[in-house]
Amino acid sequence: MNHPYPQPHPRTGLLPGTFGIGTFTDSALAFPALVHPDGSVIDISARFADTHAVFDDWERAFGELTRLASGEEPTHRIEDIRALPPLARPNLLCAGANYKQHVAEMLTKNAFNQHNRLPGESDEDFYRRNYAMMEKRADDGTPFLWTGLHSSLAGADDDIVLPGVGVQHDWELEIGVVLSGGARNATPSAAAGLIAGYLMVNDLGTVDLFRRTDIPWGYDWIAKHQPGFKPAGPFIVPAPFVDVDQVRIRLRLNGEVMQNWPANDMVFDFPRLVAYASERVRLMPGDILIAGSPPGNGMHHGRFLTDGDIIDSEITGLGRQRNRCRNEHADREPVYGAWKNEVRA
């Protein structure tokens, strides 16, 4: 019998019977904490120096956190403290081109892919062909990952500062995992056992800085690493509490729904992504891997972020984010401005 999935708590976005792990500040000190669905918070700094220490020995830590959640008295309320990035200095591994519809839409619309359109081919037929290519890629293809900088992380409610370089600042709300240990050449089955928890990350980037024609390989991903371009958290939810098949990714811009998609509609699921990563790099406890964006980014809508915009984001059971966009006030004009080839939706 199918039971309805429980509803997230209106205060935190956590599901009943779960908890989140994050880093917070009360304006004086930063501290690791456990968050209950009702917004009560337990400072765990007496047992863990920071959240990195939690994931250094996850099996032991999860047992300890479970005991704290059931027996320790709260020390704070969530509304009285500010969320910092849940982990301060993780390696970031970011999947691209990993939702079938999103990639098929981009391939159909993007000006730089029109050379692949057949003579006289309609948008509908071109889209179907691109979607079929993504389905084939899911069967026998290879994931695409790039690395990120932890200096781009921000708290769940921090302002997003839009830099003066480029104008097509885009959002991509994504579900991510935090790893519990390192591995090399893991099988997908073994990789699944490395997933300690889940979190939400908005993977922002400045689209008109991506495309380059002065270099043979064509793309420049540094524009995804601006300060504050990775709002994360507000917390990490342990993997036993999360059923990805029931999770939905939603983002609103100034109240208008832009992204609303099931998290499990990936080309490559998390075990395959982690297994692939383990063949390319040395995975470490506390590493974050985000799974790519579902449909609905700014490029698709032909709308990019501007000063004063409000982004409201939520992923089922993983919490909520609210970020106000504001323009950067720089001391000088950028020397290296936007690359002259503007990316068109």
Side-chain angles (χ1 to χ4, degrees), residues 32-53:
L34 182 155
V35 181
H36 286 290
D38 67 356
S40 57
V41 177
I42 300 171
D43 182 340
I44 59 173
S45 59
R47 291 169 171 82
F48 301 96
D50 57 21
T51 48
H52 285 274

Side-chain angles (χ1 to χ4, degrees), residues 2-343:
N2 292 324
H3 296 282
Y5 202 59
Q7 292 299 303
H9 196 284
R11 185 175 296 278
T12 62
L14 287 167
L15 299 178
T18 73
F19 58 78
I21 307 145
T23 303
F24 300 87
T25 179
D26 58 6
S27 76
L29 296 172
F31 57 92
L34 182 155
V35 181
H36 286 290
D38 67 356
S40 57
V41 177
I42 300 171
D43 182 340
I44 59 173
S45 59
R47 291 169 171 82
F48 301 96
D50 57 21
T51 48
H52 285 274
V54 171
F55 295 98
D56 283 343
D57 186 357
W58 173 244
E59 186 174 351
R60 180 192 67 81
F62 181 57
E64 178 72 1
L65 291 169
T66 302
R67 288 189 292 274
L68 291 172
S70 62
E72 198 81 1
E73 286 296 317
T75 57
H76 298 78
R77 293 289 309 170
I78 194 72
E79 59 267 24
D80 298 328
I81 55 179
R82 182 169 72 90
L84 302 175
L87 290 154
R89 52 191 185 280
N91 293 319
L92 299 178
L93 298 162
C94 310
N98 199 41
Y99 277 80
K100 297 173 187 176
Q101 179 164 321
H102 176 61
V103 180
E105 287 176 349
M106 293 297 100
L107 289 173
T108 301
K109 293 183 175 184
N110 196 300
F112 293 103
N113 191 52
Q114 295 311 302
H115 66 283
N116 287 319
R117 188 189 290 259
L118 299 175
E121 188 172 34
S122 68
D123 283 350
E124 292 77 9
D125 288 342
F126 192 28
Y127 169 82
R128 280 194 289 269
R129 197 157 57 83
N130 288 322
Y131 191 89
M133 183 170 62
M134 288 303 102
E135 290 189 311
K136 184 177 187 305
R137 182 167 168 252
D139 292 335
D140 56 20
T142 302
F144 168 58
L145 292 178
W146 48 276
T147 54
L149 301 176
H150 58 70
S151 61
S152 64
L153 290 170
D157 297 310
D158 288 351
D159 286 353
I160 293 170
V161 179
L162 304 175
V165 181
V167 296
Q168 294 179 332
H169 310 299
D170 204 349
W171 64 85
E172 290 185 328
L173 184 60
E174 305 183 13
I175 184 172
V177 293
V178 177
L179 303 182
S180 63
R184 285 285 290 163
N185 302 312
T187 64
S189 177
L194 299 176
I195 296 171
Y198 291 82
L199 80 167
M200 55 192 295
V201 178
N202 195 348
D203 177 25
L204 281 85
T206 304
V207 178
D208 50 329
L209 301 186
F210 292 169
R211 182 73 179 179
R212 296 278 295 269
T213 58
D214 62 329
I215 51 176
W217 40 89
Y219 282 92
D220 185 346
W221 294 113
I222 198 169
K224 279 184 168 285
H225 307 304
Q226 293 275 5
F229 263 29
K230 297 287 177 289
F235 24 68
I236 299 157
V237 178
F241 299 149
V242 180
D243 180 356
V244 176
D245 288 339
Q246 301 291 337
V247 168
R248 201 162 188 92
I249 297 170
R250 298 183 180 90
L251 181 144
R252 293 175 174 83
L253 179 64
N254 301 327
E256 182 181 355
V257 176
M258 295 293 181
Q259 288 181 280
N260 186 5
W261 204 253
N264 66 350
D265 186 36
M266 303 175 197
V267 179
F268 303 102
D269 63 13
F270 278 117
R272 292 177 72 190
L273 291 172
V274 174
Y276 170 77
S278 76
E279 293 184 354
R280 300 297 192 267
V281 300
R282 183 177 300 281
L283 300 176
M284 301 295 291
D287 282 355
I288 292 175
L289 188 153
I290 56 178
S293 176
N297 65 341
M299 174 69 81
H300 169 76
H301 291 288
R303 163 72 158 93
F304 297 98
L305 297 171
T306 58
D307 187 65
D309 282 342
I310 303 291
I311 304 172
D312 288 296
S313 309
E314 62 179 313
I315 297 182
T316 312
L318 302 185
R320 303 186 183 94
Q321 299 178 356
R322 168 166 268 215
N323 307 104
R324 179 183 295 274
C325 299
R326 59 181 176 86
N327 288 336
E328 181 179 35
H329 297 291
D331 295 333
R332 63 169 178 82
E333 290 296 314
V335 175
Y336 300 100
W339 184 247
K340 59 188 175 183
N341 291 303
E342 180 178 352
V343 176

